[in-house]
Structures are given as C-alpha cells and as structure tokens.
Amino acid sequence: MKPYPFKYVRAEGLAAVFQQFEEHGDDAQVLAGGQSLMPVLNMRLSAPRVLVDINRIEELRGIALDGGEVRIGALTRHREVLESEVVRTHLPLLAEAMPHVAHVAVRNRGTLGGSLALADPAAEMPACAVALGATLVLRSAAGERTVAAEDFYQGLYETERRPDEVLTEARYPIAGPGYHGAFQEFARRQGDFAVVGVAARGRVESGVLSELRLVYFGCEGHARLARQTALAAEAGGRPYTPQVFAALKDALAEELDPMENMHGSRATKLHMAQTLTGRALQALLARAGGAVHG
Amino acid sequence: MSGKAGASSSNSTNPTNPIGQAIPRASVRRLVTGRGRYTDDMTFARMVHAVFVRSPFAHARILSIDTGEAARAPGVVRVVTGAEVAEVCKPFQVRHAGFPALKVTPQHVLAVDKASWQGEAVAAVVAESRAEAEDAAELVMIEWGELPAVADADAALAPDAPLVHQELGTNEALALTVDGGDVDGAFADADVVVEEEFRFARHTGVTLEPRCIIADYDPSTHALAVHQSHQAPHEMADVYARHLGFPGHNVRVVAPDVGGAFGLKLQPYADEIATCALSMLLGRPVKYTADRLESFVTDIHARGHHVKARMAVSADGDILGLEVDDVYGIGAYSQFPRTSVFEGVHVLRMSGVAYKHTNYRARVRVAYQNKALSGHYRGVGMPIANTVTERLVDMATTELGLDPVAFRRRNYVPSEAYPHTAPTGFSFEYMSLGECLDKLEELVDIPALRAERDSLRADGVYRGIGIATFTETTAISPEYYGKAEIRVAAQESCVVRLEPSGHVRCLIGMTDQGQGTATGIAQVVAATLGVPVDDVEVISGDSAATPYGAGAFASRGAAIGGEVALQASRALKENILAVAAAILQEEPAALDLSDGRIVAAAGGTARMELAEIADIGHFRQNILPPDVQPQFTVARHHVPRALPHLSGNGIQLSYLEVDPGLGAVKLLRHAVVHDCGTVINPLLVHEQIRGGAVQGIGSALYEESVYNNEGQMLNASLADYLVPMAAEIPDIEIADVITPTRSSELGAKGVGEAGVTGASPAILNAINDAIGPLGGRLAEIPATPERILRALGVV
C-alpha cells in the first residue's frame, strides 16, 4: 500500500495552485485534509503526478456570518464546523449532521470543502448543502463563479467543478423563522459512510408544511433532491397521518432509485429510505411544535 | 491419573499470594508509551524488501511470466517466479494420521503452474525499498488462462462442479461422521422436532499488526535467523529447517512484540517461507510485511459453514436427540501443517455436549473451493457447534412454551455424571454448567429484563434476550497432534534461574501476543518460589534461547505454561532451600521462601535474604560445605497426559434492540460467566473474555468475507469489511465460576477462546427473541440489517 510516485508542491496562495493546474492539467490534484485522498493514493486507485497542498492557504479557512448567509471556507475542518456557535445557531441541520461524519480523528483533518468537492454519494455534507440551498464558490485563474449546490452534483463523483477550479467556499442562506431541519442517517457502525440517509428542511406555518426539501444520500450516484416525494408530504399537511406516510412511501418508491451495494439491494435501501423519511418528517414536525401522529 | 488439588489451585484470598491478583500486564506501559518493538520496526544492514505479485483470478493457469521490465525497474534487486523458488523450497504437503482419507495436494510457496485463489502469490519482487518493490511488481507481466472457479462450498460438492485440484478428482477433501445411540428412535419418539438451516459466513481475523517477517540467511554459516510476528517460533523454526534444508539448530526464529494473532499467526504462510527462500537466494536480510489489502486475501479465514440440524424433544422438555449436517469450505488448500479440518471436527464433536442426551448423529463434509485458505482462528469450530445447539434449544423452548433457563438446567449433564463422555465421542473432566447458570442469574436479573422487554414491546420497541451455554476444549494433549503425527508440540518447557542479584528469570516456550500470559507466568513463578512478582522477568518468543514449546494456541498458555512454570519454580525453590539449609545449618524442610526471604517453615521468622543466598551461590561458594553445588538454573518440561483436553465452559447473555424499520441491531448488554479453573489473574482473564466476546459479536453482527461466484472477495479493505468498534460494544459484564482441573497442580484451564465461543449464539438467540413477535426468524450470521429485514419479510 504505497502510492505511485508523485511530486509534492506546497501552495502558499491560490495563484500557486492555479499555476500548477496550468502546468500539469489533470495530473495535478489538490491535497486538503487528505482523509479520502490518501487512502485512494495508497491503494493505487488514483495516480496524480503532482499533489498541490493547500493547507497553508489561510484565506480558505473560517466561518463567518455575512448578512443573510453563513460563509464557510473550504479548508475549514469538520471539527471547526461541529464546534461553531454560528453553525449551531444558524445552520442547525449542519450541526446535527456533523457528528455522523466519520470519527474525531478524521474530523480533525478532514475539510468541508474536500467533502463537498469529492462528492462521495454516501457523504453527509453534499446532501446538507443541497437541502439548505447552499451556493458553492469556484475559483480559477480566470476568476470566480458560483453554482447552486443542487446543480453542482452531476453523477458519481462528478461535479460542475472544472479541473482548473478550486472549490473555495460554501455559502449557506440563513432561513427565517418557521424553517426546520431534520437529519436521519443509518450507518452500519458509528462514523461509517451512510448506508442510507436523508437531510430534510422545510417550513411549517400554522401546521402546514411547505418548501420541503428532502435530500437522499447513500442512494443514488450523488445527493438526490426528491421533489415529488416532498410534494407528496406537503400535500398531506398536518396532522401527519399514516395515510400521508403511505402516500409518501409510494412517491419515494417512484422517485428514488437506490444503487445496490454491499449493505443492501435496491429494495432494502428503498425500505430504509422510507423508514428514515418518516422519522425525519416526524422530527421536523416535532421541532415545529405540536403533536405528531403516525 | 489426577493430581491432588494443591494449595495454589483455588483462588487465594491471601493478599500476599500473587496467584489471583489483578496485576496489569507488565508490557502495557512499554507498549502504550510507544516502546514496543514489532517486527516491522526492525531494520538490518543490507536489508531489502519483498513484495508479492498475486493472482487477480480465483482460478487461472499461468501461461507465461515476463519479469524483464520489473527486473530493470529502479531499486530492484531480484524478481523470482514460483519455479525458481521451488528449487530451494519444498512444497507444503499436509498429512494427518487420524484422517488418512483426507485428500490433499502439494502447495507450492509461489504458484508454479496455476493459481487456485485470488491472492495466491505467483512471483516476488525484491527491491531496496517497499515502494520500489511495489512499483516494479506492477511491471511483472503474467499471461493468464482463466479456469472455471468454484466459490461456494455447496456448489463445490455438486457432481458437475469445476475441480479446484484436477488431480484429486473431487472437491470433497474429507467427510466425517459420528453416529451414537438410537437417533432414528429418538426422533420417532419425539413430541417436538425443531429444525433449522444455518449459514455462518466465512470471515477472517483482523490483527492490528499484520503479518511480518524478516529472514536473514548467512551463507558463511549456512544459518537462517528469522524475526517474525508469530505465535509459535519453535514450530516455525522446525518448518523452515525441514522445508529449506537446514539442520534444526541452524534456524532461529524470534517473535518480538506481536500485535494480535488469534490463530492467524499460528502456522506458516507460503509468502513467509518464500521470504526465507528469497533471503537464501540473495544472501541478504529480506523483509516482507503483509499490507492491509493483501492481508484480507492471504490471512487465514475461518467459519464458512452451512449447517442443517434438528433436535428431538419430549413434551416435558427433555432433549432426546440431535442431528447435525455441516458443509464447511476450507478454500484452495488444507492449511499446513495442522490441516483445516479441525474447524469441522469441532462442529462434529462439540455440538450438544452440554446436554445429557445420548442420541447423536453428525456429518461434516469438508470442501475445497477457489478461495483463500480457511483454518484455525480463535474458537476453531466451537462457535458453530454452540450456535447450532443453543439456537435449537431456544427454538424448542419457544415451541413448547418452556422457560429457556429451566429447560437448559433440566437438560445439562448433571454434576455427578463426570467424567462424562458425550455421544459425540469427546470426554469431559467436568463442566460447571449449572453453577454458571446460577451465577448468570446472580449477575443479571433475567425476570426484570423480561419485564422490561415485554413492556417496551407494547410501545413498538423490539428487544430480545438471548442466553447461550458454551463448551470448549482447551489446552490439548498429545492425543491431538501426537496421534496425528503432526509436528506440533503439546508440552511446554521452562527454565527458571536465580540471578546473582536474587531476582528471577523465567524462560518459557509459550508466547504472548498481548494476552498478558507472561505476567500470569510471573505470578505463578512468584507464588511458587515465594518472591515478589516484580522480581520475576519472563522471557519468551525465541526458538534458540527458550526451551521448546508450542507457543500460543488452543487456550494453553496459562494452563500448560503455568503448570510447567510451577514445576520448574518448585524445583528451583528446593535447590535454593538446600543451599540455605547448608548455610544456616538447618534441615531444608525447616525452611521456606516468602517474599524474597528465607524464613522458618514454622512461624515464618525471617532467616536470610534470598539476594544473599544468590550472592553466595554465584560468587562466594568458598563459604559453602565442599559437597554443596548450588543449582540455580532449573529446567522442566510438562506434557499434559491425564486428559485429552481441559474442558472449559460458561454461559453468555445478550440483551439487544432490533429496529424493525432498518433491520439494525443495538447491543445493550452482554454478560459472560466462565469457568477457567484457577484464575491466576482476574484482570487478564476478563480481558481475554472481553476481547473474545467482541470477536464473537463481530461474527454475529458484522464480519464477513464477501465473495462473488467467481471467487472474488468484494470487501477486502477495512472500509468495507466491518469489525466492531468501541462505539458498537457495551461494557461486557463478567463473573467467574472456579473449578480447578484436577489434572494439574495449578488447576488452570484455558480462557482465550471462551468469549468468542459463546457470543454468537447469545446474539442470534436475542435477535430471534426480538423479532419473533413480528413473525421473523433468522439463522444466518452475521445478522446484517438486510438479512433481518428479509427475515421480517419486509424486503
């Protein structure tokens, strides 16, 4: 388990990163926390010729409340997100999801931007970004552009990021009153990648559920926003009844197409997703106050 | 035949007796402060690194190997193929005199004509660094001719199955049967017959430290020095000498610190003996460390059984008979030298032995398959026997509406029946079955647990309670490998010597891979000699420096190693007292040793420091009478002869919750009661039980080597192969029942395999207790979420 030979370059600023991209194109790979990249290199599943270490680029770190947004630099460690008062106050869904991201040792090194950019289909952070309507900031030598998280994820480890771009920041809009989130994940062991998970966020006003976003991970090739299922849930409104849940299960069966893997067939994972959907909605509605049925 | 129970054979409440004291392992401080010295930490001048090119196919002919480009790669010293290594190294040829019908074929250390499992080594690259060797290994060009592979053991036994070894004409390595009593009559008379079809997934042992070896051949003396992460350095020295053509005394194997072994570092591996051969070809030290990925496809696997079994029971709740039919897949070869069949033998011989029924029939068919080798891993077959038995017991109690606790007590072999020979053919000195059950009821309030379970069910929370009696063979005698004509020692050997300082060194054949056995041995030496435990150093793991022993296997370290340490220490004590008597002008019988002093046997008055005797005996013999020759180094061997094995037993209880929406299991409580006879050190005994139970829980819920039908292992990395972690395991509650064996003076029996042997059936029974009310029934482990959801009929 030794990697293929590679050249290591420590970048002191983004300009240096872009220069490496220009010189080496696809053969250059950004090294951030390394929690996914290093095992992949050691297993010889990937063979970049140049590793560009961005860990010294301070401008990529930090969590800031900026008007109606929380801006989190790509190099911010999972642990910093987990411990952030700003995140806990304004992005409770992210705070709820973060303990599911691996173990303490991995969270100490792993970065938010790394997780968002890698686009592992079973990872928590991409799903939360989609559920929260986050915007991702991409920079290259040519400048900066932004992409909505729900447009960023294109397929299995496929994103809108071009090889000459670095994901520098995620911007999460702060929701007004009435918005609530819920996060449900099933993993075989504490800290494992999800077998199936759902990040839910919606608005509850006078007992009526609206603007619901249900995002599934560990199911399809990337974090999957399930619009039809959300509509089925909203149509029920409150009180939340077994009938609503039955309709919602059917909608999810229509809409979601989970990939079979070691932990379950399509049918098994769909069943788990249905279970977690029910639990997420119950939790969300319970947070909105009032009785929950079903 | 049986020795009298000595003063040290029951747990002493005397605080000055080191036996029975909870003393932490002597090595803990060293290991946790990073001072451990594992094989891979070592480096030697001129050392080079070996990497093996392994078959990507489960079954394929090697049409050609082109090593040219690899040989020219940077840092490469040598590239060799199987044919070249075969010139200096004999293949493994398994033979077991007890099973003459066992069909075997020679196993080359590097495949010569064809590879028979994914991961079999076919060529080796030696380079100045591991990284360079890995780079070059990718340049070895092999042309393969894929052959049909057979992965599933049942499929392997089908008449038209592809053959793993054409020359054997069959994939059935061996079929074993037992037929005792009147089984047909018992089933005909039964009021209830319960029947189940079990599947036990194949899995592996995951050691924190992977296998590692450094072989250093010196052509000037024709000697081979090996450092190796291993359980049995003496046995390995014998294997290397015989397979590589050395006189026995020219091979030395040293096992330094070993980071877990569990049976997977008990026997030789092809790549390890190949590493020795590479050192001989090069005349340089060669290191090989199995990386985590290749460990999964080369370390020994275990389990992998498909069992059909049924139990005949009367309406009153008497077990009338038991029938077991097992298919067990051992991979491509039978493991050298012990063979892989003992996992099956234990299913055959240990099923149902806790119960007094007399009618038993069993068959085990051992199948070759194109998979990694399967063989001796902690518990060797006994978890299968116990799971089959205990699951059928619970099914019977459910069917009859009887209390599973009372049913077990009613059917146990009663205390007065020992020594007892089970209808399986195995005999047992004593099993404290009822005592362990009593103790479990003290440890866990089972009625309260049942009340909690029942009240939560009303709220849609599905909890289950599972209990499982378990039985085990430990510390085996020469009746096993002696009779089998396999060169595996049954004895342990010990040298105890009084140092000039008055401290004691104990050199012993048994080995310690983290169990703390060395500390237990120090306690036995200290207790027997009458010195403080801190004054004793135990040295093991060096085939040249320590007397011959079989190392660690079959839960023998404390039982056999402890006994020989006792015998040697007693002899040394006599020698010390003889010298003391000469100095003090007393009869030796009037003197004793206590806490490092010579004392009066009557009254305990201190007469002389041991250090003073040591000093006189080493440097000032002039003051001794002329006929006194101090003998301060003593050697003893001990072969357990009175019994074929020491019988251990216990009971485990699991309390868990099943989430029927996800199929998830949350283990809430796990309790173990065990009888290992004399408890030398309760801390170490309980650590062994906990560690074993965690591995049993792993088998029951997580661990599985998943293969597809083409013989490809699909989860061969720690990202996909799941072992239980701290967060998955509750604190494990433990209590001891102490019935010393009468076959030794020390009275200790084995404990290493106790935890793993009874955990799986307790978990499986608890899961069935939880899902029974939902109509679910499961007989397959690991009990994955998907299997539970299928058992519930929801997917």
Side-chain angles (χ1 to χ4, degrees):
Chain A
M1 286 185 70
K2 303 289 180 198
Y4 289 107
F6 59 82
K7 184 177 148 201
Y8 169 87
V9 176
R10 179 188 289 145
E12 301 292 342
L14 278 172
V17 180
F18 300 142
Q19 192 192 330
Q20 292 296 324
F21 282 168
E22 193 171 324
E23 272 180 43
H24 302 285
D26 283 2
D27 285 335
Q29 166 83 52
V30 165
L31 170 66
Q35 298 304 293
S36 298
L37 180 61
M38 293 319 294
V40 162
L41 296 185
N42 285 336
M43 290 197 262
R44 298 194 167 215
L45 297 173
S46 170
R49 289 200 3 236
V50 180
L51 276 195
V52 187
D53 183 347
I54 61 168
N55 282 282
R56 296 277 178 96
I57 307 180
E58 280 301 315
E59 66 175 292
L60 298 180
R61 298 184 70 157
I63 299 169
L65 185 61
D66 182 7
E69 289 180 328
V70 176
R71 301 165 69 138
I72 307 182
L75 206 53
T76 309
R77 312 286 166 184
H78 293 308
R79 181 185 180 139
E80 294 171 300
V81 176
L82 178 67
E83 291 178 350
S84 161
E85 197 52 49
V86 170
V87 169
R88 221 183 340 263
T89 306
H90 298 288
L91 304 171
L93 181 70
L94 210 54
E96 189 183 356
M98 196 51 89
H100 294 273
V101 177
H103 300 273
V104 173
V106 173
R107 292 198 294 263
N108 283 344
R109 287 299 297 168
T111 64
L112 179 76
S115 179
L116 291 172
L118 177 64
D120 189 293
E124 294 84 1
M125 289 302 106
C128 288
V130 175
L132 292 168
T135 300
L136 305 181
V137 181
L138 300 165
R139 276 170 67 181
S140 68
E144 181 179 295
R145 66 178 179 128
T146 57
V147 179
E150 65 185 81
D151 299 328
F152 184 71
Y153 295 103
Q154 296 289 310
L156 194 61
Y157 299 104
E158 271 179 39
T159 68
E160 268 294 298
R161 188 183 69 83
R162 296 191 312 260
D164 66 336
E165 287 178 318
V166 176
L167 191 156
T168 56
E169 188 178 75
R171 296 176 184 162
Y172 298 87
I174 294 172
Y179 286 88
H180 299 277
F183 185 88
Q184 288 282 328
E185 171 174 330
F186 175 52
R188 289 293 304 279
R189 301 174 302 183
Q190 172 67 42
D192 278 348
F193 274 111
V195 174
V196 174
V198 59
R201 218 272 290 258
R203 187 172 182 199
V204 184
E205 212 160 11
S206 310
V208 177
L209 182 60
S210 64
E211 297 177 49
L212 179 65
R213 288 168 80 82
L214 294 170
V215 184
Y216 294 86
F217 54 103
C219 290
E220 299 194 359
H222 60 84
R224 170 66 201 272
L225 180 64
R227 296 178 197 279
Q228 299 309 314
T229 307
L231 287 175
E234 287 175 5
R238 273 181 72 202
Y240 186 76
T241 62
Q243 288 73 28
V244 175
F245 185 55
L248 192 146
K249 280 171 78 170
D250 292 343
L252 192 62
E254 279 292 312
E255 189 172 20
L256 193 69
D257 187 14
M259 295 186 293
E260 176 175 318
N261 70 1
M262 203 74 65
H263 302 299
S265 65
R266 182 186 184 281
T268 294
K269 290 176 78 169
L270 180 64
H271 180 83
M272 290 171 173
Q274 289 166 331
T275 297
L276 294 180
T277 304
R279 289 176 188 178
L281 287 175
Q282 293 214 9
L284 193 154
L285 291 164
R287 282 168 191 169
V292 178
H293 305 278
Chain B
M1 72 171 211
S2 55
K4 228 170 40 190
S8 58
S9 61
S10 62
N11 261 24
S12 172
T13 50
N14 174 4
T16 63
N17 183 355
I19 291 183
Q21 303 295 321
I23 300 171
R25 278 179 279 156
S27 57
V28 161
R29 184 181 299 273
R30 195 169 56 75
L31 296 176
V32 300
T33 54
R35 295 287 173 160
R37 191 164 141 91
Y38 298 89
T39 305
D40 194 55
D41 293 328
M42 296 178 174
T43 188
F44 293 85
R46 303 173 62 249
M47 188 176 85
V48 286
H49 299 261
V51 158
F52 292 94
V53 181
R54 299 183 179 281
S55 172
F57 299 108
H59 201 192
R61 199 159 289 289
I62 302 165
L63 302 176
S64 69
I65 303 183
D66 178 356
T67 60
E69 199 183 344
R72 290 189 295 275
V76 170
V77 174
R78 181 90 181 249
V79 183
V80 298
T81 62
E84 293 166 75
V85 168
E87 287 174 23
V88 291
C89 182
K90 276 199 274 188
F92 295 147
Q93 177 75 54
V94 179
R95 201 186 145 269
H96 190 300
F99 307 117
L102 177 66
K103 293 188 180 63
V104 291
T105 192
Q107 180 189 355
H108 291 283
V109 299
L110 295 183
V112 174
D113 296 320
K114 69 163 192 167
S116 300
W117 84 90
Q118 174 215 13
E120 183 171 7
V122 294
V125 176
V126 184
E128 297 289 346
S129 75
R130 170 81 187 206
E132 286 168 322
E134 287 194 22
D135 288 343
E138 298 211 344
L139 304 175
V140 174
M141 293 301 150
I142 303 175
E143 197 184 345
W144 296 97
E146 241 190 298
L147 295 167
V150 61
D152 179 74
D154 288 286
L157 295 179
D160 53 348
L163 293 177
V164 177
H165 303 293
Q166 206 68 37
E167 64 275 26
L168 297 181
T170 173
N171 291 323
E172 186 176 283
L174 186 68
L176 297 167
T177 57
V178 168
D179 198 344
D182 177 13
V183 176
D184 293 330
F187 279 89
D189 294 345
D191 296 305
V192 165
V193 172
V194 286
E195 195 163 356
E196 188 57 282
E197 183 171 352
F198 298 88
R199 287 182 192 274
F200 298 89
R202 164 189 271 251
H203 65 82
T204 184
V206 179
T207 55
L208 281 177
E209 183 211 11
R211 294 186 295 111
C212 184
I213 181 170
I214 303 169
D216 185 4
Y217 173 66
D218 180 350
S220 72
T221 54
H222 186 54
L224 180 69
V226 174
H227 287 79
Q228 186 170 8
S229 177
H230 209 270
Q231 297 168 238
H234 287 103
E235 184 184 326
M236 291 305 287
D238 184 65
V239 168
Y240 296 144
R242 294 165 69 83
H243 282 262
L244 296 162
F246 288 95
H249 63 296
N250 280 18
V251 179
R252 177 179 194 175
V253 177
V254 176
D257 286 326
V258 176
F262 315 123
L264 75 79
K265 295 175 185 169
L266 176 60
Q267 312 205 54
Y269 285 83
D271 49 27
E272 294 166 352
I273 200 163
T275 303
C276 296
L278 291 169
S279 181
M280 291 170 68
L281 289 171
L282 294 167
R284 293 178 73 168
V286 180
K287 177 187 277 186
Y288 165 64
T289 304
D291 72 26
R292 195 58 255 167
L293 297 180
E294 61 189 336
S295 293
F296 274 110
V297 291
T298 59
D299 285 357
I300 204 72
H301 290 198
R303 321 300 186 232
H305 296 259
H306 176 199
V307 181
K308 293 173 187 159
R310 59 185 191 139
M311 184 178 274
V313 186
S314 77
D316 300 339
D318 286 323
I319 298 172
L320 303 176
L322 176 65
E323 192 167 10
V324 175
D325 192 7
D326 178 23
V327 172
Y328 161 47
I330 60 170
Y333 292 93
S334 186
Q335 197 183 11
F336 180 82
R338 283 168 169 78
T339 81
S340 294
V341 301
F342 248 88
E343 168 99 7
V345 169
H346 276 151
V347 177
L348 192 83
R349 301 286 185 185
M350 291 297 288
S351 293
V353 298
Y355 301 106
K356 64 189 174 192
H357 70 102
T358 55
N359 305 308
Y360 177 72
R361 182 188 292 148
R363 177 175 67 155
V364 176
R365 282 178 295 160
V366 180
Y368 286 118
Q369 46 187 173
N370 293 112
K371 286 183 178 177
L373 276 58
S374 185
H376 288 216
Y377 166 71
R378 201 175 195 176
V380 193
M382 295 184 283
I384 310 300
N386 287 309
T387 303
V388 168
T389 307
E390 293 301 298
R391 186 70 212 110
L392 290 174
V393 163
D394 262 23
M395 288 171 69
T397 60
T398 303
E399 181 89 16
L400 289 163
L402 298 173
D403 175 1
V405 172
F407 181 94
R408 284 179 170 83
R409 190 174 272 120
R410 176 189 178 98
N411 282 285
Y412 282 152
V413 176
S415 304
E416 61 276 14
Y418 295 97
H420 168 73
T421 300
T424 66
F426 269 14
S427 58
F428 300 88
E429 180 193 23
Y430 188 73
M431 292 186 283
S432 55
L433 302 161
E435 296 94 311
C436 286
L437 183 51
D438 293 343
K439 186 72 108 179
L440 179 69
E441 289 187 296
E442 286 170 30
L443 186 64
V444 180
D445 185 346
I446 296 173
L449 223 48
R450 287 176 177 161
E452 182 177 275
R453 171 197 67 189
D454 294 344
S455 82
L456 285 168
R457 267 180 199 166
D459 303 332
V461 174
Y462 292 89
R463 291 192 175 175
I465 304 162
I467 61 172
T469 294
F470 65 97
T471 52
E472 39 173 350
T473 62
T474 76
I476 59 178
S477 79
E479 293 301 304
Y480 285 70
Y481 293 110
K483 213 176 241 178
E485 297 173 22
I486 291 172
R487 294 170 69 87
V488 170
Q491 90 273 16
E492 265 314 322
S493 311
C494 181
V495 170
V496 188
R497 67 180 201 235
L498 180 65
E499 299 291 328
S501 61
H503 298 92
V504 177
R505 279 209 166 93
C506 169
L507 292 86
I508 193 157
M510 70 98 229
T511 56
D512 188 341
Q513 295 75 45
Q515 303 91 322
T517 328
T519 297
I521 297 295
Q523 288 174 255
V524 171
V525 172
T528 311
L529 267 180
V531 299
V533 178
D534 286 346
D535 286 2
V536 181
E537 187 195 22
V538 175
I539 297 168
S540 71
D542 183 337
S543 74
T546 67
Y548 204 98
F553 79 97
S555 304
R556 65 193 297 282
I560 306 177
E563 181 67 11
V564 75
L566 184 153
Q567 300 295 345
S569 303
R570 170 165 302 151
L572 177 60
K573 181 178 173 179
E574 283 171 18
N575 293 356
I576 292 168
L577 292 180
V579 176
I583 295 168
L584 295 168
Q585 299 186 341
E586 294 269 12
E587 284 302 309
L591 298 173
D592 201 357
L593 249 171
S594 174
D595 202 29
R597 290 188 185 84
I598 308 296
V599 300
T605 312
R607 299 292 305 271
M608 204 177 168
E609 294 292 319
L610 177 58
E612 180 70 5
I613 299 275
D615 192 78
I616 292 168
H618 283 86
F619 307 120
R620 293 185 281 139
Q621 298 92 337
N622 54 304
I623 70 169
L624 296 173
D627 60 334
V628 175
Q629 290 282 346
Q631 299 295 336
F632 287 166
T633 300
V634 164
R636 283 291 181 277
H637 298 281
H638 174 69
V639 186
R641 296 298 304 276
L643 299 164
H645 57 249
L646 303 182
S647 39
N649 66 276
I651 190 162
Q652 301 198 22
L653 178 144
S654 293
Y655 183 53
L656 52 75
E657 185 171 316
V658 174
D659 179 342
L662 297 170
V665 174
K666 169 98 183 137
L667 183 58
L668 303 169
R669 284 181 75 175
H670 194 86
V672 184
V673 179
H674 183 247
D675 186 346
C676 65
T678 302
V679 174
I680 296 166
N681 182 329
L683 191 62
L684 300 178
V685 162
H686 293 179
E687 280 183 4
Q688 279 302 295
I689 291 172
R690 285 201 175 86
V694 170
Q695 285 179 308
I697 292 164
S699 302
L701 295 175
Y702 300 102
E703 296 195 48
E704 177 169 9
S705 303
V706 180
Y707 277 87
N708 67 11
N709 287 335
E710 285 72 49
Q712 295 287 321
M713 186 171 168
L714 302 178
N715 62 339
S717 84
L718 277 178
D720 294 318
Y721 182 99
L722 307 182
V723 290
M725 311 282 271
E728 281 68 53
I729 303 293
D731 188 22
I732 293 170
E733 305 155 63
I734 298 172
D736 306 300
V737 167
I738 296 171
T739 316
T741 174
R742 296 172 66 83
S743 67
S744 74
E745 221 165 304
L746 182 61
K749 302 183 284 195
V751 68
E753 295 162 290
V756 78
T757 299
S760 304
I763 298 265
L764 190 60
N765 275 342
I767 289 171
N768 277 285
D769 189 44
I771 67 176
L774 294 165
R777 181 173 135 190
L778 184 70
E780 181 169 11
I781 60 171
T784 61
E786 179 159 65
R787 286 176 183 140
I788 289 175
L789 290 176
R790 284 186 178 146
L792 291 170
V794 294
V795 296

